[in-house]
Amino acid sequence: MVQSINTKVDLVIDATSHMGIADYGKIMIGDKGFEFFNNRDTRKFIQIPWVEVDYVTASIMFKGKWIPRYAIQTKRNGTYSFSSKEPKKVLRAIREYVDPNQMVQSLSFFDVIKRGLKSKFNK
């Protein structure tokens, strides 16, 4: 069994990790970091200390009514993407430990298209 990095747990919720093939498990948010534990395979887990978090990016649709997934970008190891049953609860729990200025909204589909067209015509 994997040893947790947290000493105090704020939230445990069912979630999906979108690293390659989707893995189902539980997200644990605590005082030391963000953790994902796979339901079936105990060797598949993700532990991210709060000091290692660079940005938290949320994909927001319908003016905040629906958040399909969110991602945690670390300083060294890249980006980890997750979705959960109640993403607003998860993001509020993360906001307790991460600076709110480091929590950003991802670009929408049309913003990506607009940036691509602008860069194409500016060259």
Side-chain angles (χ1 to χ4, degrees):
M1 190 68 189
V2 180
Q3 183 68 29
S4 175
I5 60 173
N6 293 317
T7 55
K8 185 186 106 186
V9 176
D10 291 341
L11 179 69
V12 176
I13 197 163
D14 290 334
T16 304
S17 170
H18 298 285
M19 301 297 301
I21 298 174
D23 291 326
Y24 301 102
K26 296 211 180 285
I27 284 179
M28 183 186 302
I29 297 175
D31 59 341
K32 303 285 186 194
F34 180 94
E35 298 178 306
F36 174 82
F37 298 105
N38 192 326
N39 282 343
R40 293 184 180 177
D41 191 359
T42 57
R43 294 174 293 163
K44 293 182 181 178
F45 63 94
I46 299 170
Q47 294 178 328
I48 306 170
W50 293 126
V51 295
E52 203 52 42
V53 173
D54 196 18
Y55 282 101
V56 178
T57 307
S59 175
I60 298 175
M61 296 185 171
F62 306 117
K63 297 181 181 177
K65 300 284 184 196
W66 183 43
I67 302 172
R69 62 175 61 180
Y70 44 90
I72 297 177
Q73 183 177 351
T74 61
K75 294 177 181 172
R76 287 190 225 148
N77 296 330
T79 304
Y80 300 92
S81 181
F82 301 96
S83 62
S84 61
K85 290 198 177 210
E86 298 180 46
K88 288 184 182 180
K89 273 188 180 179
V90 173
L91 292 172
R92 285 183 186 125
I94 290 173
R95 191 174 57 197
E96 297 292 322
Y97 299 103
V98 175
D99 183 27
N101 294 329
Q102 293 177 318
M103 298 184 76
V104 295
Q105 180 177 345
S106 67
L107 295 175
S108 70
F109 173 74
F110 295 112
D111 290 337
V112 173
I113 298 296
K114 187 167 66 173
R115 277 191 179 184
L117 291 174
K118 276 186 181 179
S119 69
K120 198 72 159 166
F121 290 119
N122 287 339
K123 288 183 181 181

